[in-house]
Amino acid sequence: GASGSATAAGGMGCGFDPRRAPHHMTPSDFIGAAANGTARPARHRDGQPVSIIETHGFTVHIDRHAGTVYEGVGADGRPFRVVQQVPYGFLPGVLGDDGEGYDVYAGPRQDAERVYVVTQCRAATGHYDEQKAMLGFESAEAAATCYGAHTAPAMLGRMGSLPLDAFRAQVEAWRANPTGPFRAETDEDAAELAALDEIEAAPVSEPVPEAA
């Protein structure tokens, strides 16, 4: 699996800015589906009922339970076996890029003060897929290790982080004005955007004519 901060933090990942990625359902469609219970099925991959937990100030619907074993054959023809390490689910009523709820891994550390946000790529193409929020992890290394235990290495495009309070504020701002899928802006994203703004605002110097 993917692990380590160098891979997690490096580059934009997946070839382009995920905030400009296409999505499959409008926020109004999704919120309506969430209200009538059709945004996600009542049972998911492990066949267990969706359970509801409260963690880090969020209600999370868990549809993949810790300890469940998944086996099958991947798109590359290779068999796989994955043991779900931590509960995995979604924020109800918050639209992700896949047209379903915004995905969350619920880690064990209730005292964790940062949220780690994975930009997931499609393993076959390297193109942007969606974000995953890693709640309850003590470090980037712990979050990347957990994510990598459930996915192919090529799927980890990048990982950034932001304070838990800032993540909550971004989710609430999206709920108040849901335009497009929700995408968290990490501290790394903000720094890159600020650097781009600085470059764009810099005066353009005129070329110095060569001496005759």
Side-chain angles (χ1 to χ4, degrees):
S3 62
S5 57
T7 300
M12 283 301 292
C14 304
F16 63 95
D17 186 347
R19 286 158 292 182
R20 297 186 173 89
H23 57 280
H24 311 295
M25 183 184 288
T26 67
S28 59
D29 288 341
F30 180 76
I31 291 168
N36 64 32
T38 60
R40 281 272 177 105
R43 293 178 181 270
H44 205 52
R45 286 192 180 187
D46 56 16
Q48 301 179 44
V50 168
S51 55
I52 299 174
I53 66 170
E54 300 290 331
T55 184
H56 296 87
F58 294 100
T59 298
V60 181
H61 287 200
I62 300 301
D63 55 15
R64 301 184 196 179
H65 298 78
T68 304
V69 178
Y70 305 106
E71 296 179 304
V73 178
D76 59 1
R78 296 181 181 179
F80 67 85
R81 183 179 187 273
V82 175
V83 179
Q84 190 68 37
Q85 301 293 311
V86 298
Y88 173 87
F90 58 95
L91 300 179
V94 180
L95 176 63
D97 279 295
D98 60 355
E100 297 186 328
Y102 187 86
D103 293 327
V104 171
Y105 285 86
R109 295 293 297 266
Q110 288 299 313
D111 59 345
E113 297 181 352
R114 295 192 73 79
V115 178
Y116 298 94
V117 179
V118 170
T119 295
Q120 179 170 288
C121 302
R122 297 174 190 243
T125 64
H127 293 166
Y128 174 77
D129 185 24
E130 60 181 327
Q131 286 187 343
K132 309 280 185 181
M134 313 292 291
L135 298 175
F137 293 91
E138 63 185 6
S139 65
E141 289 77 12
T145 297
C146 180
Y147 175 80
H150 301 90
T151 59
M155 295 176 72
L156 177 56
R158 70 172 291 170
M159 188 171 70
S161 69
L162 70 165
L164 177 60
D165 288 346
F167 183 75
R168 284 199 201 104
Q170 290 182 21
V171 170
E172 291 310 310
W174 185 92
R175 289 185 191 272
N177 183 29
T179 56
F182 172 71
R183 300 187 187 110
E185 182 176 282
T186 65
D187 290 351
E188 291 79 3
D189 293 331
E192 288 173 359
L193 289 171
L196 288 172
D197 288 342
E198 185 175 340
I199 291 169
E200 291 174 354
V204 177
S205 57
E206 295 294 330
V208 177
E210 295 182 5

mmCIF file of all heavy atoms in Angstrom, residues 54-59 110 164 168:
data_model
loop_
_atom_site.group_PDB
_atom_site.id
_atom_site.type_symbol
_atom_site.label_atom_id
_atom_site.label_comp_id
_atom_site.label_asym_id
_atom_site.label_seq_id
_atom_site.Cartn_x
_atom_site.Cartn_y
_atom_site.Cartn_z
ATOM 1 N N GLU A 54 -21.185 9.176 15.465
ATOM 2 C CA GLU A 54 -20.810 10.573 15.648
ATOM 3 C C GLU A 54 -19.315 10.608 15.932
ATOM 4 O O GLU A 54 -18.844 9.954 16.860
ATOM 5 C CB GLU A 54 -21.585 11.201 16.807
ATOM 6 C CG GLU A 54 -23.095 11.184 16.640
ATOM 7 C CD GLU A 54 -23.576 12.134 15.545
ATOM 8 O OE1 GLU A 54 -22.893 13.155 15.305
ATOM 9 O OE2 GLU A 54 -24.615 11.840 14.936
ATOM 10 N N THR A 55 -18.582 11.340 15.133
ATOM 11 C CA THR A 55 -17.142 11.427 15.344
ATOM 12 C C THR A 55 -16.631 12.785 14.905
ATOM 13 O O THR A 55 -17.009 13.292 13.850
ATOM 14 C CB THR A 55 -16.397 10.290 14.599
ATOM 15 O OG1 THR A 55 -14.997 10.362 14.900
ATOM 16 C CG2 THR A 55 -16.582 10.378 13.093
ATOM 17 N N HIS A 56 -15.834 13.417 15.742
ATOM 18 C CA HIS A 56 -15.202 14.691 15.429
ATOM 19 C C HIS A 56 -16.222 15.760 15.012
ATOM 20 O O HIS A 56 -15.936 16.601 14.163
ATOM 21 C CB HIS A 56 -14.135 14.504 14.349
ATOM 22 C CG HIS A 56 -13.011 13.636 14.784
ATOM 23 N ND1 HIS A 56 -13.047 12.267 14.655
ATOM 24 C CD2 HIS A 56 -11.830 13.936 15.377
ATOM 25 C CE1 HIS A 56 -11.942 11.757 15.154
ATOM 26 N NE2 HIS A 56 -11.184 12.735 15.598
ATOM 27 N N GLY A 57 -17.395 15.699 15.625
ATOM 28 C CA GLY A 57 -18.410 16.699 15.331
ATOM 29 C C GLY A 57 -19.226 16.433 14.084
ATOM 30 O O GLY A 57 -20.000 17.284 13.661
ATOM 31 N N PHE A 58 -19.062 15.248 13.476
ATOM 32 C CA PHE A 58 -19.795 14.890 12.255
ATOM 33 C C PHE A 58 -20.644 13.651 12.495
ATOM 34 O O PHE A 58 -20.254 12.748 13.235
ATOM 35 C CB PHE A 58 -18.836 14.589 11.095
ATOM 36 C CG PHE A 58 -18.058 15.763 10.624
ATOM 37 C CD1 PHE A 58 -16.743 15.952 11.025
ATOM 38 C CD2 PHE A 58 -18.635 16.701 9.769
ATOM 39 C CE1 PHE A 58 -16.018 17.045 10.582
ATOM 40 C CE2 PHE A 58 -17.904 17.792 9.332
ATOM 41 C CZ PHE A 58 -16.599 17.964 9.737
ATOM 42 N N THR A 59 -21.787 13.619 11.831
ATOM 43 C CA THR A 59 -22.538 12.382 11.701
ATOM 44 C C THR A 59 -22.018 11.669 10.461
ATOM 45 O O THR A 59 -21.975 12.246 9.377
ATOM 46 C CB THR A 59 -24.042 12.667 11.533
ATOM 47 O OG1 THR A 59 -24.518 13.335 12.705
ATOM 48 C CG2 THR A 59 -24.827 11.379 11.324
ATOM 49 N N GLN A 110 -9.705 10.117 18.691
ATOM 50 C CA GLN A 110 -10.712 11.151 18.897
ATOM 51 C C GLN A 110 -10.082 12.505 19.227
ATOM 52 O O GLN A 110 -10.737 13.542 19.111
ATOM 53 C CB GLN A 110 -11.671 10.735 20.014
ATOM 54 C CG GLN A 110 -12.612 9.614 19.634
ATOM 55 C CD GLN A 110 -13.525 9.988 18.470
ATOM 56 O OE1 GLN A 110 -14.121 11.065 18.461
ATOM 57 N NE2 GLN A 110 -13.609 9.122 17.466
ATOM 58 N N LEU A 164 -9.096 20.567 11.946
ATOM 59 C CA LEU A 164 -10.436 20.004 12.022
ATOM 60 C C LEU A 164 -11.500 21.099 11.987
ATOM 61 O O LEU A 164 -12.513 20.964 11.295
ATOM 62 C CB LEU A 164 -10.566 19.169 13.307
ATOM 63 C CG LEU A 164 -11.928 18.552 13.610
ATOM 64 C CD1 LEU A 164 -12.373 17.609 12.500
ATOM 65 C CD2 LEU A 164 -11.883 17.839 14.961
ATOM 66 N N ARG A 168 -14.579 21.504 9.276
ATOM 67 C CA ARG A 168 -15.984 21.656 9.658
ATOM 68 C C ARG A 168 -16.578 22.906 9.026
ATOM 69 O O ARG A 168 -17.700 22.882 8.504
ATOM 70 C CB ARG A 168 -16.109 21.757 11.180
ATOM 71 C CG ARG A 168 -15.954 20.470 11.932
ATOM 72 C CD ARG A 168 -16.560 20.604 13.336
ATOM 73 N NE ARG A 168 -16.028 19.613 14.245
ATOM 74 C CZ ARG A 168 -15.110 19.869 15.183
ATOM 75 N NH1 ARG A 168 -14.614 21.085 15.320
ATOM 76 N NH2 ARG A 168 -14.700 18.898 15.972
#
